[in-house]
Amino acid sequence: MMASVSQIAPLVGESVPGWSEDTVKGFVTKLPEGDRSPFLTFVDDFARLGARAREVHDEVKAKETSLEDGRAALQADREGLVVERASMDEARSRFDADALKLATERDEVSRLRNELVGAKQELALREAEVRGGLVLEREASLKVLQEQILALERQRDQLPSEVSRRRQELLEEARREAAHVLEAAQEQAASLEQKETELALQDVGLKRRENKIRVEEEVLRTRQRNLQEDARQHAKDLLEEKETEIARHVREIERLRKVVSGQQSELDELDALRQVTGDDPEKLLHDVESLRAHNKELDRKLQEMRSSQSEGDAKELREQRDALQRSLDAAKGELFGLRQQEEQWKLSVMERENAETMRVVLEKHKALLGSAVQELRAQVDDLIDQGKEATAFPELTRMDKELALRIPTVPAPALSALVGDLQARIAHAEEGKQLHFSKEVLQLFVGGLAMSRLHIFQGISGTGKTSLATAFCAAIGATCTVVPVQAGWRDRADLIGHYNAFEKRYYEKDTLQALYRAQTEAQGDMLHVVLLDEMNLSRPEQYFAEFLSAMEVSQAKRLITLMESRPASGAPALLVDGRQIRLPANLWFIGTANHDETTNAFADKTHDRAFVLELPKHGPSAERIARPSDRVTWSFDSLMHLFDEARRKHATHVKKLLSALDSCRLTKILNDSFGLGWGNRLEQQMVRFMPVVLECGGTEALALDHMLATRMFRDGKVTGRHDKRADDLRVVEDALNAFWRDAKLGDTPTSCLTAIEADIQRLERGG
């Protein structure tokens, strides 16, 4: 019991000044023996209550500290968000309001704690009254105290749960608000990044448009320089212009004749005037000069007379001078009139002479124009006659004559040995360096030859996209036509050429010549490649659209229309109806592609019809490959025969694998969650592609992994989407691995998994 007294004494000492542990113990020893036991029981209960109150107090302090720490952490996060995004001020204000609410709740807890302390103080005062000798009121006080203690215990018991509940609510509310703030921050950050991306794309688009406009202007200027105008219309217009000019000159001659006639009349009048006056202007001018000299002499004499004679003599002289001056003025007026007549006469003579000269010049010019018009008519007639006799396709017609003897070819080696032979031949295809491509890359490439007539080689600069195509052609004796794609290509005329109606001639570009050459008797059994260098500088869906459509139909219907009507004469022998060219089976289009701000992304229309090969970066190989001793030209027919045999050999196995793929969990997830299916085109491509890869020594895992990676697990399909989360991709990853295990494919789907992992990292970074 004394232990309980020792426990409660410090509490009383805190509440009642002057009370110590000894005071409390002395008070207990002075109580009557019968009252001591209940009081000590009360003291023990009170000690436990005090200990519990102290624990509650400590818990409240700990919770307050935790809340303060949480508030400080939230404040720090909020300040970090303010630093990162100035636009988060509004969210910070809301968070401050919530923090104020949290402080209010904390004040409420503090108030409850203060009430508890007040209750303890009141209890201590009541105990003091008991210790002061108020024995009569002890039982009532004890009863009241017990009731208060019970109430306090109930309040105490409720207080932890209430504090815990309230703390949990505040924490949940704070977490929700923090999550909301973070989510808003992420959304705003994503919005800002999206806007920055859009601005960057707009900037890139503007630059592309500027570049495209400059290129188009250059193309237009080039075309304007190269295109010739319609000679017949030009000759007609020139003839009309010259005839109009001749008529104008004739009218000018008539006008000048009238002017000459008028001037002749004026000359006649001037001659009549001369006859009337009896003098000519020169004589009158001489008389005026004589009078001026005489006048000067008189002025001199007048001055002399002024000095020697009287006033009367001076007056007489002045009168004489005035008379002479009047005579001089009259002579000047007459001279001025004569000078005007002289000027008019001179002008009339000059105009008459000029008119006569102009008449002579115009007559000679008219004669020259007549001769030039006759020569021009003769030249136009010659051009028209030559156009009627010439062929519209000079290069294709030349091929009919020069490529008539078949070039010898050799059968391609069996597919089991083909890749090794091809690897050795490619290694030494270019003089001065050894090219090394792995067998896996060549196995996929040969499988692609069987799958599609359109190939797309992708990869960073220096991975050998162009070298693989050119070295392959050099290794097997195929014809390779390199066509650099230009920015601004819009239609098939940029690729194969166009027809000039005036010249009645088709401008046959390299691609058109390659298509025709592949069908000639000389090269019909050879492989041909048209290498579209930088294929995506312009959109293939525009300039290559007719070829993409032709690849979807049977071989007999693969026709490209060159002209609307058949030329009058001279159509090449291999054109269908003289105006359509067939897309030959022994020709492949191989396009190289880079991906930067100057290029365009491939649309699904192009991507789904092509065999896409991502070439990895590789360093120089230490392996030395022996140079083949002979140069060969593989037979196209023999290669197609090998592809057909491989397809028949592995058809059942490939269809069984495709059936398992179609019914697996991966297919269901792709269909339900991503809206993707395999489609008939993909299944047909797999049936042609996978058997050849297997026969070339490749594995099922290699072939299937490549097809899935280039068809399904590429940007815009499974990966690269903003409407999916990282967890969605992990579900796909698990399903893919499960199918690989169930199908017992052995190797892992490296390309697919790499694409999925890269996209998961992008999504986790908030990309």
Side-chain angles (χ1 to χ4, degrees), residues 596-630:
D596 53 38
E597 68 278 0
T598 65
T599 59
N600 301 280
F602 289 107
D604 288 344
K605 179 180 180 180
T606 302
H607 211 291
D608 292 344
R609 288 166 171 78
F611 167 75
V612 181
L613 183 61
E614 187 81 21
L615 292 177
K617 184 177 181 180
H618 53 80
S621 174
E623 180 183 0
R624 305 305 299 176
I625 302 176
R627 180 188 295 272
S629 59
D630 59 337

Side-chain angles (χ1 to χ4, degrees), residues 614-734:
E614 187 81 21
L615 292 177
K617 184 177 181 180
H618 53 80
S621 174
E623 180 183 0
R624 305 305 299 176
I625 302 176
R627 180 188 295 272
S629 59
D630 59 337
R631 301 182 66 87
V632 296
T633 300
W634 283 2
S635 167
F636 165 74
D637 291 336
S638 68
L639 187 62
M640 292 300 103
H641 179 68
L642 293 175
F643 290 165
D644 292 338
E645 285 186 344
R647 185 163 57 250
R648 287 191 295 269
K649 178 179 178 180
H650 297 279
T652 303
H653 180 65
V654 171
K655 289 181 179 179
K656 182 179 178 181
L657 180 61
L658 291 177
S659 178
L661 179 63
D662 192 53
S663 60
C664 71
R665 177 168 166 264
L666 174 64
T667 302
K668 187 176 187 310
I669 292 173
L670 293 180
N671 186 42
D672 295 343
S673 301
F674 291 82
L676 300 175
W678 303 119
N680 293 331
R681 180 186 293 118
L682 180 58
E683 291 182 359
Q684 293 173 4
Q685 291 174 347
M686 288 285 290
V687 169
R688 295 194 297 267
F689 173 72
M690 186 173 288
V692 176
V693 175
L694 295 176
E695 196 65 18
C696 288
T699 63
E700 297 173 338
L702 175 66
L704 186 58
D705 179 36
H706 178 81
M707 289 300 293
L708 293 180
T710 56
R711 285 293 185 271
M712 291 296 173
F713 296 94
R714 63 180 178 88
D715 284 351
K717 295 289 188 178
V718 174
T719 62
R721 295 172 58 159
H722 297 280
D723 59 339
K724 299 300 176 185
R725 300 173 301 161
D727 291 340
D728 298 329
L729 294 180
R730 289 192 178 94
V731 172
V732 174
E733 184 178 20
D734 294 340

